[in-house]
Amino acid sequence: MRMFTNNGLFLFLLTLAACNTGKKVDKEQVDQMKKSMEVKKVGEAEIISHALEWGDELSQEAQASLMQALQKAIADKGTVGAVEFCNVEALPLTQSVAEKHGVIIRRVSEKNRNPKNSLQDQEKPLFDAYAYNTEEGITNAPNIQKMDDGETLLFTKAIVIPGGLCLNCHGTAGEELAEDTYEKIKSLYPDDKATGYKVGDLRGMWSIHIPKKEVVKRM
Ligand code: HEC
C-alpha cells in the first residue's frame, strides 16, 4: 500500500464530513473516496514504474503456468503428445492468466510457430533491440512504454532458450528435435519457423498490454 502526501488532509476532511452529517462513514465509502483521490494524485511516472514491476510478475506467472503444463504433458504423453497439447492449450493458458488480471498477454516471435504469435507494429522494434542485444552479449532488461491509445502500456521481456528441454521442440530437426516430433509439428503448423535454436538464443518475447487503470487499481 502506498502513502500519499495529502493523507493528513484527506483524513481531516473525512472527519469533518462525518461530524457534519452525524452519520458513520462506512469503510466502502472511504475506500471509494480514497480510490478516486488516488486516481487523481498518482503521477504518470509512478504508474509506469509500477507497471514495469507488475508486468514482470505477470510474465512469470504465465511462464510458470505454461512450464507446469508442459512438463506434465511431456511426462504423461511424451514429446510428440506434448506438441499436440501445446497446440491446444498454450494460448488458452496464457489467456486465462491475462483475464484474471485484466491485461492481454502474448508470447511473440519473429520466427514463430503459431502465426497468431507474430510481431505486431509496436512490438517489432522492441524485438529487434532484444535480438541485437542478445547477439552482442548484452543482458536484456524488461521494457515498458506507452501505446498510441494513451490508455495502455506495453510491457515486453525477452524469452531466451534456458536449456535443453526447449530444444526437443525448437532445436535442429534430426538432432535434438527428433523426426517424429518434427513431423507432428509440421502437421499442426505448416508454416513453422521456430526450429534451429540453441541454448542462449532469443526465442521470443513476452508482450503484455496493461491498461493504466488496472495499474492504478493496484496502487
Ligand atoms: C513439446 C514441445 C515443446 C517444447 C518442449 C517447448 N515448446 Fe515452445 N512451442 C511449442 C508449440 C507447439 C508452440 C506453439 C503454441 C501455440 O500454438 O500457441 C510453441 C510456441 C512457443 C513460443 C511462442 C512463439 C511461437 O513460436 O509461436 C515460445 C516463445 C516458445 N514456444 C518458447 C519455448 C521455450 C522457451 C521452451 C523451453 C522452456 C519451449 N518453448 C519448449 C512446442 C514446444
Side-chain angles (χ1 to χ4, degrees):
M1 213 31 197
R2 300 174 59 266
M3 294 296 288
F4 293 92
T5 45
N6 63 333
N7 248 2
L9 176 65
F10 171 66
L11 283 174
F12 172 64
L13 287 173
L14 198 67
T15 322
L16 263 184
C19 293
N20 280 347
T21 59
K23 270 191 226 150
K24 233 178 120 223
V25 180
D26 74 6
K27 188 173 175 312
E28 205 179 273
Q29 263 177 313
V30 174
D31 284 351
Q32 257 176 16
M33 214 162 143
K34 258 189 155 166
K35 196 138 272 175
S36 67
M37 289 190 73
E38 285 176 9
V39 169
K40 281 182 217 132
K41 296 294 170 196
V42 168
E44 185 82 3
E46 288 173 278
I47 294 177
I48 288 176
S49 81
H50 195 90
L52 184 60
E53 264 173 48
W54 190 32
D56 204 33
E57 285 165 29
L58 289 167
S59 68
Q60 281 172 34
E61 185 180 339
Q63 171 73 14
S65 117
L66 282 172
M67 279 305 281
Q68 200 182 16
L70 176 67
Q71 276 162 346
K72 185 170 186 313
I74 293 176
D76 291 352
K77 309 177 220 278
T79 311
V80 177
V83 171
E84 213 143 351
F85 175 85
C86 290
N87 174 244
V88 178
E89 290 298 331
L91 290 173
L93 271 173
T94 42
Q95 193 170 341
S96 72
V97 176
E99 273 169 11
K100 190 170 115 193
H101 296 288
V103 300
I104 297 170
I105 304 183
R106 299 171 68 230
R107 288 185 309 165
V108 293
S109 181
E110 189 154 57
K111 284 170 59 185
N112 49 73
R113 177 150 289 165
N114 188 332
K116 286 186 183 148
N117 301 329
S118 0
L119 298 168
Q120 293 170 353
D121 299 346
Q122 221 176 325
E123 292 163 347
K124 175 90 174 77
L126 289 158
F127 185 84
D128 288 348
Y130 289 137
Y132 174 84
N133 286 349
T134 311
E135 285 274 296
E136 299 293 313
I138 302 166
T139 312
N140 276 315
N143 185 70
I144 189 109
Q145 64 185 50
K146 290 178 203 170
M147 297 198 69
D148 296 337
D149 66 3
E151 300 294 322
T152 315
L153 299 170
L154 174 62
F155 170 90
T156 54
K157 183 177 161 184
I159 302 174
V160 171
I161 299 262
L165 171 74
C166 316
L167 302 185
N168 288 314
C169 297
H170 295 293
T172 303
E175 294 179 25
E176 313 93 340
L177 171 54
E179 289 298 349
D180 57 347
T181 309
Y182 190 46
E183 264 167 42
K184 185 71 186 180
I185 290 170
K186 278 289 185 191
S187 75
L188 294 170
Y189 304 95
D191 296 325
D192 176 45
K193 299 193 265 300
T195 61
Y197 286 95
K198 296 182 189 59
V199 172
D201 282 352
L202 180 71
R203 175 62 267 271
M205 155 181 118
W206 288 103
S207 166
I208 310 187
H209 292 204
I210 307 180
K212 281 190 206 163
K213 68 172 174 29
E214 295 297 331
V215 182
V216 173
K217 267 193 210 166
R218 292 171 42 87
M219 292 172 82

